[in-house]
């Protein structure tokens, strides 16, 4: 829920999903101290519990690539993100580059997928991630549902950790 305070200050009505009820409750409790009451639900990238064509904007900051504990079909994530966006709605994403510290020591299980083995926080080990080698691969993965891609980049080394991301904005077809 770290982005919710900023988005609230920008005037957005706040909705979100997290992977467990425990995380949802913690975020709600923390934001209530700031007098914020977002609508938060438990969900995953392949099952976002909001109605079809509900959002004009969807922010997926370091989230869309999490596949859970099992390798699944990444196309389900793309379709689910498209499902909840209105026509011509915008998807804004941050997707880590291979230099990102999550990937250090990870085990590649097939092209585009790996298992985290060396999470410095010890909470993501065992998670399957979808990774991309370049912007062309990202565009290919999303282009059956999205158009008008704009790419940016963040390359930051913070306290010895590589925070390197692709920044992507695209529009639902």
């Amino acid at each position: 829920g770290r982005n919710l305070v900023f988005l609230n200050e920008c005037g957005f009505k706040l909705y979100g999903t997290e992977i467990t009820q425990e995380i949802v409750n913690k975020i709600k409790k923390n934001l209530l101290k700031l007098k914020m009451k977002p609508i938060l639900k438990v969900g995953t990238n392949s099952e976002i519990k909001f109605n079809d064509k509900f959002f004009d904007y969807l922010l997926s900051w370091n989230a869309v690539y999490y596949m859970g504990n099992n390798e699944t079909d990444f196309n389900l994530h793309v379709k689910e993100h498209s499902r909840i966006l209105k026509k011509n709605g915008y998807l804004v994403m941050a997707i880590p580059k291979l230099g990102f510290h999550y990937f250090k020591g990870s085990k590649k299980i097939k092209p585009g997928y790996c298992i985290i083995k060396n999470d410095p926080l010890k909470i993501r080990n065992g998670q399957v991630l979808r990774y991309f080698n370049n912007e062309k691969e990202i565009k290919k993965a999303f282009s059956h549902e999205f158009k008008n891609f704009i790419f940016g980049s963040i390359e930051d080394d913070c306290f010895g950790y590589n925070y390197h991301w692709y920044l992507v904005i695209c529009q639902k077809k």
Side-chain angles (χ1 to χ4, degrees), residues 66-123:
Y66 279 102
M67 304 302 295
N69 291 322
N70 301 309
E71 179 186 338
T72 59
D73 182 358
F74 186 74
N75 291 327
L76 295 174
H77 294 209
V78 176
K79 288 177 184 178
E80 187 68 355
H81 283 69
S82 175
R83 179 190 67 78
I84 63 173
L85 272 171
K86 294 176 183 174
K87 184 176 176 151
N88 294 317
Y90 289 93
L91 174 59
V92 179
M93 300 179 285
I95 300 173
K97 295 181 178 184
L98 282 174
F100 197 74
H101 65 271
Y102 290 177
F103 297 117
K104 187 177 183 176
S106 66
K107 177 184 176 189
K108 292 185 179 172
I109 54 177
K110 75 177 200 175
Y113 295 85
C114 68
I115 298 174
I116 297 176
K117 296 287 185 184
N118 194 21
D119 177 16
L121 300 175
K122 309 281 189 244
I123 58 175

Side-chain angles (χ1 to χ4, degrees), residues 122-139:
K122 309 281 189 244
I123 58 175
R124 295 176 188 91
N125 289 330
Q127 291 285 307
V128 176
L129 297 183
R130 173 70 168 95
Y131 68 85
F132 299 92
N133 290 300
N134 53 48
E135 294 172 1
K136 184 178 176 182
E137 286 184 6
I138 295 170
K139 187 173 183 179

Side-chain angles (χ1 to χ4, degrees), residues 19-40:
I19 59 172
T20 69
Q21 189 63 50
E22 180 183 14
I23 296 171
V24 166
N25 293 344
K26 182 177 172 95
I27 292 169
K28 284 182 177 181
K29 182 180 174 184
N30 289 342
L31 292 177
L32 195 56
K33 295 174 190 173
L34 300 172
K35 298 185 179 10
M36 294 172 51
K37 295 181 181 179
I39 296 170
L40 300 176

Side-chain angles (χ1 to χ4, degrees), residues 41-58:
K41 299 180 179 186
V42 175
T44 64
N45 283 314
S46 59
E47 190 178 352
I48 304 171
K49 302 199 178 171
F50 288 98
N51 292 333
D52 294 356
K53 301 175 185 166
F54 188 76
F55 295 108
D56 293 305
Y57 301 95
L58 179 59

